[in-house]
Amino acid sequence: MSDSLFSLEFELNATEIQKLNKMYFKNIWEERIRILSIIFLIGSIFLNFYFIDRNSDYIIWIIRSLFFVALFLLFQYSVVKTICSLIFLLIKRLMKFEKFVSRYKLNFTNSFIYIHSPTGEISHKWSQIEKAILTKDFFLLYIKERNGYIISISNRCINNRKMEELISFVDNKVTKITKIC
């Protein structure tokens, strides 16, 4: 098997999708919502400054802005968690539809791992794999990143997966696989 020709695509089952959403996409959406809320905060402060009466005292504007920032910091965490919970509740309900589920895929090439979903796409280089573990039910790939993601792939024969090829590639070209029975 030549490295340049290595390419596999796996559709994910419901369990894998739930783990993937919990591990990856929840963090990504929390980060996106947090960034949007910070942009809203900064925009509202500048908008407030733009419409301030030029004869007013700037100290009052500063105090009002600091109060607004303090309120933002106080409620931001719970608001972000709530919005993400609503998004993933919607995703959980959409999991009933085959067309939605079939959009979740893992693609493995000679140099990258691609994770495709309706909520976003992520790619990792094989060099980011810190550890590979093979259990009776799952093949786990541990990603070296700040959040330490785990890609879990079911070992069960689903949709004619070529798990042996993937395991062989990882074992020979990426890292030695730890086998746990």
Side-chain angles (χ1 to χ4, degrees):
M1 173 174 67
S2 173
D3 288 352
S4 61
L5 300 178
F6 181 74
S7 179
L8 292 175
E9 182 176 278
F10 295 168
E11 287 189 11
L12 302 178
N13 62 28
T15 305
E16 292 169 325
I17 291 171
Q18 287 173 346
K19 289 181 181 184
L20 195 64
N21 280 339
K22 192 175 200 179
M23 180 63 66
Y24 271 91
F25 295 111
K26 191 169 187 179
N27 290 338
I28 289 172
W29 278 94
E30 283 177 359
E31 200 171 292
R32 288 177 182 171
I33 293 169
R34 197 169 288 120
I35 289 170
L36 284 175
S37 62
I38 289 170
I39 290 171
F40 173 74
L41 172 70
I42 293 170
S44 62
I45 288 173
F46 281 121
L47 192 63
N48 188 11
F49 181 73
Y50 182 74
F51 287 114
I52 194 170
D53 184 13
R54 299 296 171 213
N55 297 329
S56 322
D57 190 8
Y58 287 109
I59 299 295
I60 294 172
W61 175 80
I62 291 172
I63 292 171
R64 194 176 2 173
S65 296
L66 286 174
F67 180 73
F68 190 62
V69 168
L71 279 176
F72 171 80
L73 292 174
L74 186 66
F75 292 110
Q76 187 244 2
Y77 180 78
S78 60
V79 169
V80 167
K81 289 287 186 188
T82 303
I83 292 171
C84 281
S85 295
L86 290 173
I87 289 171
F88 284 98
L89 182 65
L90 174 65
I91 289 172
K92 194 174 188 179
R93 291 181 192 255
L94 289 172
M95 295 287 290
K96 296 175 186 173
F97 302 104
E98 182 64 34
K99 198 170 192 177
F100 184 79
V101 171
S102 66
R103 293 183 62 198
Y104 280 89
K105 294 182 181 176
L106 290 175
N107 287 9
F108 302 97
T109 65
N110 60 329
S111 54
F112 286 98
I113 302 168
Y114 298 100
I115 303 168
H116 303 281
S117 85
T119 58
E121 294 186 7
I122 301 171
S123 65
H124 296 290
K125 292 183 179 180
W126 282 110
S127 61
Q128 291 177 290
I129 300 296
E130 181 177 354
K131 187 184 267 189
I133 296 178
L134 181 63
T135 67
K136 182 177 84 170
D137 296 325
F138 289 98
F139 182 51
L140 306 166
L141 299 172
Y142 291 84
I143 308 290
K144 289 186 265 187
E145 275 194 9
R146 63 185 167 129
N147 293 336
Y149 295 121
I150 301 169
I151 299 174
S152 62
I153 307 161
S154 179
N155 281 342
R156 309 227 163 113
C157 290
I158 301 170
N159 298 335
N160 299 321
R161 286 187 179 171
K162 298 179 182 176
M163 284 299 294
E164 294 81 24
E165 280 186 50
L166 176 62
I167 292 169
S168 173
F169 178 81
V170 171
D171 199 28
N172 295 328
K173 306 293 182 195
V174 181
T175 187
K176 291 297 174 196
I177 297 175
T178 306
K179 296 179 182 174
I180 300 173
C181 294

